[in-house]
Amino acid sequence: MRAPRDIIKHVSVETAKARRKCYRSKQHHIAKGQACVVIKEGSFDGSKNYCVACALDIFDAADQRL
């Protein structure tokens, strides 16, 4: 039997190696050493970083959709 399909392969949690900007809010910054959620877009090679507070809102919205 085949393994189940991974539908969240473009989402990961990383520890910032340098300061990053939160894509959702320009006032939010991700400091070096802090955890952040990274979403890689399939249409281009870049990725979008989200701070923990914004990531929780994204996860809550996804939970509602499911």
Side-chain angles (χ1 to χ4, degrees), residues 32-46:
K32 179 180 178 179
Q34 283 186 326
C36 63
V37 173
V38 179
I39 299 176
K40 295 184 189 246
E41 297 290 332
S43 60
F44 64 98
D45 293 332

Side-chain angles (χ1 to χ4, degrees), residues 26-60:
K26 294 184 190 252
Q27 288 83 26
H28 296 174
H29 294 283
I30 303 159
K32 179 180 178 179
Q34 283 186 326
C36 63
V37 173
V38 179
I39 299 176
K40 295 184 189 246
E41 297 290 332
S43 60
F44 64 98
D45 293 332
S47 60
K48 296 177 182 174
N49 303 301
Y50 298 93
C51 67
V52 172
C54 292
L56 290 175
D57 291 340
I58 292 169
F59 294 148
D60 286 340

